[in-house]
Amino acid sequence: MTPQKETHAFKTEVQQLLKLIVNSLYSNQEIFLRELISNASDAIDRLKFKTQTEPDILGDDTDFRIKLTPDGIKQTFEIEDNGIGMTYEEVMENIGTIAQSGTAAFMEALENTNSDTLAPELIGQFGVGFYSAFIVADKITILTKAAGDDKAVRWESFGDGTYTIEEADKETRGTTITLELKKRADDEPDFTDEWVIRNIVKQHSDFVSYPIVMDVERDEPIPEGEQLKDKDGKTVGETTRKVIKEETLNSMKAIWTRGQDEVSEKEHEEFYRHISHDWNPPLTQLHKKFEGTTEYTALLYIPSKAPFDLFNPEAKHGIHLYCKRVFIMDDCEDLMPEYLRFVKGVVDAPDLNLNVSREILQQDRLVKNIRRNLVKKLFELFKNLEKEEYEKFYEEFGAVLKIGIHTDFENKDKLAELTRFKTTKSDGKWVSLKEYVENMQPDQKDIYFITGDNMAALLNSPLLEQLKAKDYEVLLMSDPVDEWVAQSLTEYDGKSLKSAEKGDLGLDEVDEGKKDKYDGLFKQIRVILEEKIKEVKPSTRLTDSVACLSGEDHDMSAYMEKILKASGQQTPDTKRVLELNMDHPVMDKINGIFEKDAADPVLKDYAGLLFDLATISEGGKIEDPGNFTKRVGALMADAIA
Ligand code: ADP
């Protein structure tokens, strides 16, 4: 820590975010309070969690609360908590930056958005959080002291691109944030007014589980004995006096303990926002009290939009664990499998040991039971969603949900029912495996799929020509995780899933006479291309194109290889099979040259061209594009002449 005051610039992305928040949330000013209260409540949660391993950390300051202090004359608003506080480093790290993992995604999203119509959705994805205070404040001061530290930190900013930070003094643990409010227009709410504040707290933060308190001025009757009386004993002057009283503004009711029908949609929305820090309302929720051997209550929400860090394995999980309404921990990963990590909510398990640690939790039978039950209930919830709603959900979270097929053996079949695919016949719409099977051709035995990263290239892949000619539908699998799905999901409804890219499709008998005719040429091409391919075969896939690349049954698919290489893994190059279409007129011509003079140097050129054509047709990169275009140019000149 440096004792001097230092000035720092906000990271570029934070400046952008600030501008965005202030511009687009102007009509929603009051949300700043919800966000600051949420942060304060989280800070207390985190401190509470820490007391399990460091019981002395609280000292005498054991009554958790969040205090609001408005000042109508100075036009300031202060919010104080006795939570975990922040060290100098934490302030530097947390305030003035966007979480590391989100920065790149944020900048990218920003680039793709028209800055005049910045949708609240975008902000929602990244969370407005602390910065929303700049909607209402010209200047913000944070004074914070981390639990266990002697020194405090003061952070100040006018939201103009820079902030200052310095060492400071503060008596108590926790964070005090002071807003110097902007001058407001007549039709804007006064955030120093008691009733304005009460309303906001009631509406957005009623269920926060710590008291949100405020000093309020009240008229109190002056007791008889203390009243001023004249000589006749008649009361003179005031009969009431002003007193300042601290009042708690929120009911702290744990909404999950109420009956399913007793919680309104609005309340769900607010509670969801509080625990998820998501700006968008949830898609739907699961609210249930489980009775029997394992008793617990769950209130789980399915977000309507995927967060930017959906695929970041370090992203926080969404389950908060409570025991008899007492907070135990957030980010409770043991209650939800990895592939449902986007689910947010609360689980309250009365039989749980209050001093449970993350390590013990992993082994806990009770926790395992709850998890198994919740997964089951969530599957039911997904299954019962209306088609349109389910597809909306699947667009956002399907790519994560599918991971379960690979990782959760027990639920593989149920998850297979939940997957949706785009296909060669679905015209961009989602198809379930059940629908696929219903639409199979009478002579079709297997379920066909193809993997790759480009939907358009997949749809037009020459590997599918024969399948299309037979009117067989093919699943187009373009999520990276689909490679793992394909490995694990080998069967559905008694039918094998077969890669259109690998092995012999065995759709039609190969014409043996033709095969013999081309045998010599194919062998020669194989020798010419030895470095690049492992075999040359008469194609069982092509009808129109002349060449394509396929794999053998147990080869790694081309897409898998690409994914592994992109993630930096050492992967040997898998040589592929060059399939040639014996019915294509070009092959007949090349064979003519070969039969005339097997040593004709032009054969080498043509072999290279066939390989390049096969590569291009699947969206691959050819090794020597200059050479390729020269050859094609020469061929065109010949053909046109
Ligand atoms: P979010 O809350 O969505 O993570 P914010 O921008 O609101 O984003 O806050 C950034 C971080 O700053 C928080 O994650 C937390 O670590 C820290 N922080 C904010 N407010 C407080 C507070 N009152 N006490 C302690 N830490 C806080």
Side-chain angles (χ1 to χ4, degrees):
M1 195 187 302
T2 32
Q4 292 98 353
K5 187 162 174 167
E6 289 185 357
T7 302
H8 295 271
F10 283 119
K11 294 268 165 65
T12 329
E13 65 273 11
V14 172
Q15 295 192 34
Q16 305 259 32
L17 181 64
L18 273 177
K19 224 164 74 190
L20 207 145
I21 291 171
V22 174
N23 287 341
S24 54
L25 294 183
Y26 207 69
S27 53
N28 258 317
Q29 299 185 355
E30 88 259 12
I31 60 131
F32 85 91
L33 188 51
R34 170 189 87 202
E35 298 293 326
L36 295 184
I37 290 176
S38 251
N39 281 349
S41 157
D42 287 354
I44 301 175
D45 278 350
R46 267 182 283 146
L47 179 64
K48 263 183 108 172
F49 187 60
K50 214 170 177 187
T51 58
Q52 288 167 16
T53 45
E54 296 172 48
D56 299 335
I57 202 162
L58 293 185
D60 307 331
D61 191 0
T62 52
D63 288 333
F64 295 120
R65 86 226 175 323
I66 298 163
K67 177 149 191 171
L68 310 182
T69 313
D71 186 327
I73 295 164
K74 285 199 264 176
Q75 279 294 300
T76 57
F77 184 93
E78 197 178 278
I79 167 167
E80 180 189 352
D81 67 63
N82 54 353
I84 197 158
M86 285 179 272
T87 63
Y88 190 95
E89 286 71 30
E90 281 165 344
V91 174
M92 289 291 288
E93 218 169 275
N94 296 333
I95 313 284
T97 56
I98 294 181
Q100 207 60 41
S101 56
T103 310
F106 177 74
M107 294 310 269
E108 195 183 317
L110 203 63
E111 261 167 40
N112 296 329
T113 320
N114 176 349
S115 59
D116 295 333
T117 55
L118 285 164
E121 261 177 32
L122 178 61
I123 312 175
Q125 262 188 304
F126 295 91
V128 279
F130 165 76
Y131 302 111
S132 63
F134 279 111
I135 310 173
V136 297
D138 279 326
K139 181 185 177 194
I140 301 179
T141 305
I142 304 176
L143 183 62
T144 182
K145 187 157 120 182
D149 270 13
D150 316 326
K151 275 286 167 197
V153 188
R154 178 180 291 105
W155 179 101
E156 283 179 322
S157 175
F158 288 90
D160 56 355
T162 62
Y163 62 87
T164 61
I165 181 164
E166 65 192 308
E167 204 179 276
D169 290 315
K170 182 176 188 298
E171 258 178 39
T172 51
R173 172 199 71 223
T175 304
T176 305
I177 298 179
T178 310
L179 312 181
E180 287 180 23
L181 297 170
K182 286 183 181 164
K183 213 170 148 46
R184 62 186 175 89
D186 289 341
D187 58 345
E188 284 171 352
D190 177 358
F191 295 112
T192 61
D193 180 277
E194 179 194 335
W195 296 98
V196 170
I197 296 168
R198 274 179 182 277
N199 274 333
I200 302 174
V201 171
K202 202 80 205 149
Q203 197 189 338
H204 296 293
S205 311
D206 192 51
F207 38 72
V208 167
S209 44
Y210 307 104
I212 302 168
V213 301
M214 181 164 76
D215 286 340
V216 295
E217 200 180 68
R218 287 285 176 271
D219 287 330
E220 192 185 66
I222 300 172
E224 277 287 327
E226 291 173 30
Q227 283 176 1
L228 283 181
K229 311 234 184 219
D230 63 12
K231 59 181 183 331
D232 303 327
K234 264 177 77 187
T235 307
V236 289
E238 305 288 336
T239 53
T240 59
R241 62 185 171 199
K242 302 261 183 234
V243 286
I244 304 285
K245 277 176 134 176
E246 191 178 88
E247 276 189 26
T248 299
L249 310 183
N250 57 328
S251 72
M252 291 180 273
K253 259 199 201 135
I255 94 169
W256 62 89
T257 60
R258 285 153 56 187
Q260 222 177 27
D261 309 329
E262 293 162 29
V263 185
S264 73
E265 192 135 324
K266 193 86 206 125
E267 285 173 307
H268 275 308
E269 248 176 57
E270 290 301 345
F271 183 63
Y272 167 72
R273 283 186 171 150
H274 172 64
I275 54 164
S276 70
H277 292 220
D278 183 359
W279 167 263
N280 302 296
L283 181 73
T284 183
Q285 70 267 344
L286 173 79
H287 184 188
K288 212 169 153 43
K289 192 170 171 153
F290 294 82
E291 273 151 354
T293 39
T294 332
E295 250 176 60
Y296 63 98
T297 304
L299 174 52
L300 304 182
Y301 295 95
I302 312 300
S304 54
K305 278 262 162 221
F308 70 89
D309 56 358
L310 183 63
F311 289 102
N312 176 6
E314 277 144 41
K316 273 197 166 189
H317 283 236
I319 308 296
H320 298 231
L321 181 61
Y322 282 74
C323 174
K324 297 195 198 86
R325 292 199 251 160
V326 176
F327 171 85
I328 299 183
M329 67 175 83
D330 62 1
D331 193 17
C332 183
E333 10 185 290
D334 299 301
L335 282 172
M336 239 352 105
E338 187 65 25
Y339 62 89
L340 289 172
R341 58 174 183 259
F342 52 84
V343 176
K344 313 270 179 200
V346 167
V347 170
D348 192 331
D351 300 332
L352 208 68
N353 177 356
L354 255 176
N355 291 320
V356 70
S357 72
R358 285 189 196 275
E359 291 68 39
I360 293 174
L361 212 59
Q362 238 173 21
Q363 317 294 333
D364 196 298
R365 266 215 13 233
L366 181 68
V367 169
K368 281 189 183 149
N369 273 343
I370 296 179
R371 169 174 156 147
R372 188 171 308 123
N373 254 324
L374 288 178
V375 169
K376 205 167 113 197
K377 290 291 164 205
L378 283 169
F379 285 171
E380 281 168 21
L381 176 81
F382 297 151
K383 229 174 115 185
N384 292 331
L385 286 177
E386 297 281 330
K387 183 176 159 64
E388 204 177 298
E389 213 170 29
Y390 183 70
E391 286 175 356
K392 236 168 48 192
F393 158 74
Y394 197 82
E395 289 273 356
E396 297 291 326
F397 300 107
V400 174
L401 189 70
K402 275 190 289 195
I403 297 172
I405 293 186
H406 188 65
T407 56
D408 187 355
F409 186 75
E410 199 182 322
N411 286 308
K412 192 165 100 175
D413 294 337
K414 282 196 187 134
L415 281 160
E417 294 290 351
L418 290 171
T419 53
R420 297 289 180 273
F421 298 97
K422 305 216 163 141
T423 78
T424 42
K425 290 186 177 182
S426 75
D427 200 15
K429 297 205 176 64
W430 293 106
V431 169
S432 67
L433 288 172
K434 189 160 171 265
E435 288 167 318
Y436 179 99
V437 169
E438 282 164 7
N439 290 333
M440 276 169 71
Q441 295 301 316
D443 63 339
Q444 184 183 346
K445 290 192 194 63
D446 301 319
I447 297 172
Y448 293 96
F449 69 88
I450 183 164
T451 60
D453 58 357
N454 180 327
M455 249 326 177
L458 286 184
L459 193 57
N460 296 313
S461 168
L463 296 165
L464 309 184
E465 285 174 3
Q466 275 278 9
L467 291 164
K468 283 185 188 164
K470 290 196 159 293
D471 208 20
Y472 290 0
E473 190 168 14
V474 182
L475 306 175
L476 306 171
M477 298 168 80
S478 63
D479 284 326
V481 48
D482 282 333
E483 282 294 344
W484 283 267
V485 172
Q487 271 179 22
S488 304
L489 192 69
T490 47
E491 218 187 79
Y492 173 82
D493 194 17
K495 303 184 173 52
S496 306
L497 267 86
K498 213 164 159 41
S499 165
E501 178 189 350
K502 288 195 247 173
D504 188 346
L505 287 189
L507 296 172
D508 288 309
E509 292 288 311
V510 178
D511 181 334
E512 290 299 326
K514 259 195 193 153
K515 207 173 153 189
D516 288 345
K517 173 179 152 190
Y518 282 105
D519 195 46
L521 174 66
F522 282 14
K523 282 197 174 116
Q524 172 116 341
I525 294 178
R526 197 190 146 199
V527 174
I528 297 170
L529 297 175
E530 198 169 24
E531 305 263 284
K532 298 177 173 163
I533 55 172
K534 63 171 159 191
E535 208 187 325
V536 179
K537 268 209 297 210
S539 180
T540 55
R541 293 177 169 76
L542 300 172
T543 58
D544 303 334
S545 303
V546 61
C548 69
L549 295 167
S550 66
E552 288 182 334
D553 271 328
H554 298 290
D555 283 351
M556 187 184 283
S557 78
Y559 187 34
M560 183 70 137
E561 195 175 318
K562 194 167 165 185
I563 294 170
L564 293 180
K565 283 194 172 140
S567 70
Q569 293 197 39
Q570 291 271 332
T571 317
D573 290 324
T574 312
K575 280 192 191 169
R576 301 176 69 201
V577 177
L578 178 67
E579 292 195 13
L580 297 172
N581 183 355
M582 299 192 298
D583 296 322
H584 199 287
V586 160
M587 288 318 299
D588 194 40
K589 296 215 166 126
I590 299 178
N591 202 36
I593 301 173
F594 172 76
E595 280 175 351
K596 235 202 272 144
D597 176 10
D600 191 329
V602 82
L603 286 171
K604 205 174 151 214
D605 273 0
Y606 288 162
L609 262 177
L610 288 171
F611 178 76
D612 285 350
L613 286 175
T615 307
I616 291 173
S617 73
E618 60 176 27
K621 273 207 180 105
I622 53 176
E623 244 168 49
D624 186 350
N627 193 13
F628 174 79
T629 38
K630 235 186 278 163
R631 281 187 208 150
V632 173
L635 283 176
M636 282 170 77
D638 283 352
I640 295 165

